[in-house]
Amino acid sequence: MLDMHCHILSGIDDGARDLKESVKMAKIAYKDGIKHIIATPHFCRSVMCEPDVQYQKIEELRHALRREGIEITITPGNEVRLESSEFVYVHEAAGDYLYLDPNKRFILLEQRWSHYNEQSEEICRWFLSRGTTPIMAHPERHDFFREQPELLVRLIDLGVWTQVTVDSLLGKNGAEAEQFAKMLIRRGQVHVLATDAHSVKRKPNLSHGIRIMQQLAGEEQVQALLTRMEIIRQSALGE
Ligand SMILES: [Fe+2]
């Protein structure tokens, strides 16, 4: 399985505290059946890690995982916050943040926590016109999406994918997020599941999410989800 949203790298954002914790998170993920993690540190006004620094961190982690015999593939990415369209375009042009794959077929986008970015549709159209599918991180955790689900439906209609976080399905992000996440699954509006793991406590737990999805939506939807995740995985490997 692929985990395409994970703050496994240390010393960049609010994810793993140090390399030791990164390795522990990888161990938990491996036991859960995850074989590939796309590292997605935040890219926002307060955290802008240069790609070269991330590549170096990934090399360090790969080395540590080899030493421990943990066979997980780690590839780079970012969780890019929709601060403003200018923020997204200027930093894209400068190559300051990373897509989920070298082919730039997928990008992980996050809404601000304070309020919905009204330029979201314009920004998503811009990515789509360049052959990139934007993936909206954890819509169930944002109150504006819960209050106005049509905002999300409009993005989905454009071709945007949604990523629900397993912790939300487990009720760890509150009852409202849990309910909304489950409703999105029942409506067939969830394209991928991911862990958004930040530590050994906020940990990788993908298989649990898949089981919940199976109960809520059935095997066919789970297979479609796994197929989409496999497409992202292959693209992350440059295939
Ligand atoms: Fe995240």
Side-chain angles (χ1 to χ4, degrees):
M1 284 191 300
L2 166 77
D3 187 8
M4 47 68 72
H5 183 171
C6 187
H7 300 261
I8 192 166
L9 298 180
S10 63
I12 296 180
D13 59 3
D14 55 345
R17 268 166 310 170
D18 50 29
L19 184 61
K20 242 168 123 180
E21 187 164 39
S22 302
V23 172
K24 280 185 190 164
M25 286 168 71
K27 267 187 193 164
I28 295 170
Y30 187 74
K31 271 194 194 151
D32 191 47
I34 293 166
K35 296 288 142 59
H36 184 152
I37 293 174
I38 304 182
T40 51
H42 289 289
F43 186 90
C44 55
R45 284 200 212 284
S46 55
V47 183
M48 290 189 221
C49 174
E50 285 171 25
D52 280 350
V53 175
Q54 191 186 155
Y55 295 144
Q56 201 186 324
K57 294 259 174 200
I58 287 181
E59 251 336 291
E60 231 174 65
L61 179 56
R62 282 177 182 156
H63 189 74
L65 295 181
R66 266 200 300 275
R67 217 170 36 221
E68 299 272 336
I70 304 167
E71 290 176 36
I72 285 196
T73 303
I74 311 279
T75 56
N78 269 124
E79 178 180 15
V80 180
R81 191 166 298 164
L82 296 170
E83 303 277 17
S84 69
S85 53
E86 193 195 354
F87 178 88
V88 173
Y89 301 152
V90 167
H91 289 292
E92 205 282 339
D96 290 335
Y97 57 73
L98 297 168
Y99 289 66
L100 296 178
D101 56 319
N103 307 318
K104 301 190 175 183
R105 287 184 60 198
F106 297 100
I107 190 155
L108 182 63
L109 299 178
E110 177 190 43
Q111 292 285 340
R112 296 166 300 188
W113 292 96
S114 53
H115 54 283
Y116 180 66
N117 185 325
E118 299 290 343
Q119 299 162 320
S120 298
E121 288 183 37
E122 176 209 314
I123 296 168
C124 288
R125 264 198 218 100
W126 182 79
F127 277 116
L128 285 161
S129 73
R130 296 158 62 100
T132 301
T133 298
I135 304 179
M136 197 56 60
H138 43 63
E140 77 282 1
R141 295 188 58 204
H142 296 279
D143 48 11
F144 43 79
F145 280 137
R146 297 196 299 258
E147 284 158 17
Q148 289 179 275
E150 64 274 15
L151 293 175
L152 188 62
V153 172
R154 282 215 292 270
L155 292 173
I156 293 172
D157 287 345
L158 288 179
V160 172
W161 286 10
T162 62
Q163 173 261 306
V164 156
T165 295
V166 175
D167 268 356
S168 300
L169 294 172
L170 302 179
K172 292 184 182 175
N173 293 317
E176 289 179 339
E178 180 184 351
Q179 271 174 11
F180 191 62
K182 289 182 173 174
M183 191 202 72
L184 291 176
I185 286 181
R186 286 196 201 94
R187 290 185 178 173
Q189 290 172 337
V190 176
H191 299 84
V192 286
L193 291 181
T195 70
D196 195 8
H198 279 65
S199 66
V200 289
K201 286 199 180 114
R202 211 172 143 186
K203 64 183 182 185
N205 51 2
L206 199 51
S207 62
H208 202 157
I210 303 278
R211 282 200 297 280
I212 293 174
M213 180 145 183
Q214 199 144 21
Q215 289 158 9
L216 293 173
E219 185 57 27
E220 205 172 308
Q221 277 233 41
V222 167
Q223 285 310 320
L225 175 112
L226 292 175
T227 301
R228 284 187 289 267
M229 283 158 69
E230 181 58 19
I231 291 169
I232 299 170
R233 195 186 72 82
Q234 286 182 11
S235 202
L237 293 172
E239 289 166 8

